[in-house]
Amino acid sequence: QVQLVESGGGLVQPGGSLRLSCAASGTIVSITPMGWYRQAPGKQCELVATIATGGSTNYADTVKGRFTISRDNAKNTVNLQMNSLKTEDTAVYYCNAAQFERGRLRNYWGQGTQVTVSS
């Protein structure tokens, strides 16, 4: 089993910055994709950004140019640098990772960290 723990959330004013971190631990075989998702109150969970082992990234249009995802394969961590935050970014942010276990792709999720952007 893999455990994911997020950190770095908090309250920030519009235009501010936060850096989220996610650390994976447990029985790690080979985690390939990692990413961040978020869920605002009453809304569906949406993809924020993903990053492959090789470093290729994918961002939601709403965060392009403001957020940067990165990972450290040696440490099994993934980070999300969030700049120029908007009130619309307020949500619970979840770290996601996946790996093949017994021939099946298993997704793991962190407990979430709250990001609140408010003046």
Side-chain angles (χ1 to χ4, degrees), residues 78-100:
V78 61
N79 304 306
L80 184 69
Q81 179 66 46
M82 305 185 294
N83 299 324
S84 301
L85 283 163
K86 305 175 180 179
T87 56
E88 295 88 343
D89 296 318
T90 297
V92 177
Y93 284 70
Y94 296 93
C95 177
N96 169 258
Q99 69 175 6
F100 281 99

Side-chain angles (χ1 to χ4, degrees), residues 1-103:
Q1 302 297 317
V2 175
Q3 294 79 45
L4 302 177
V5 179
E6 304 101 331
S7 63
L11 175 65
V12 65
Q13 294 184 332
S17 299
L18 284 174
R19 184 173 185 268
L20 306 183
S21 296
C22 173
S25 62
T27 308
I28 300 174
V29 178
S30 181
I31 297 178
T32 299
M34 298 187 77
W36 289 94
Y37 293 73
R38 68 185 182 186
Q39 185 169 28
K43 304 295 183 180
Q44 294 289 321
C45 186
E46 65 174 339
L47 182 149
V48 177
T50 60
I51 184 168
T53 303
S56 61
T57 58
N58 184 46
Y59 296 92
D61 290 339
T62 53
V63 306
K64 286 182 179 178
R66 300 188 297 119
F67 291 9
T68 301
I69 188 171
S70 62
R71 67 186 292 166
D72 186 329
N73 293 330
K75 297 180 179 180
N76 290 313
T77 60
V78 61
N79 304 306
L80 184 69
Q81 179 66 46
M82 305 185 294
N83 299 324
S84 301
L85 283 163
K86 305 175 180 179
T87 56
E88 295 88 343
D89 296 318
T90 297
V92 177
Y93 284 70
Y94 296 93
C95 177
N96 169 258
Q99 69 175 6
F100 281 99
E101 300 176 359
R102 301 183 67 181

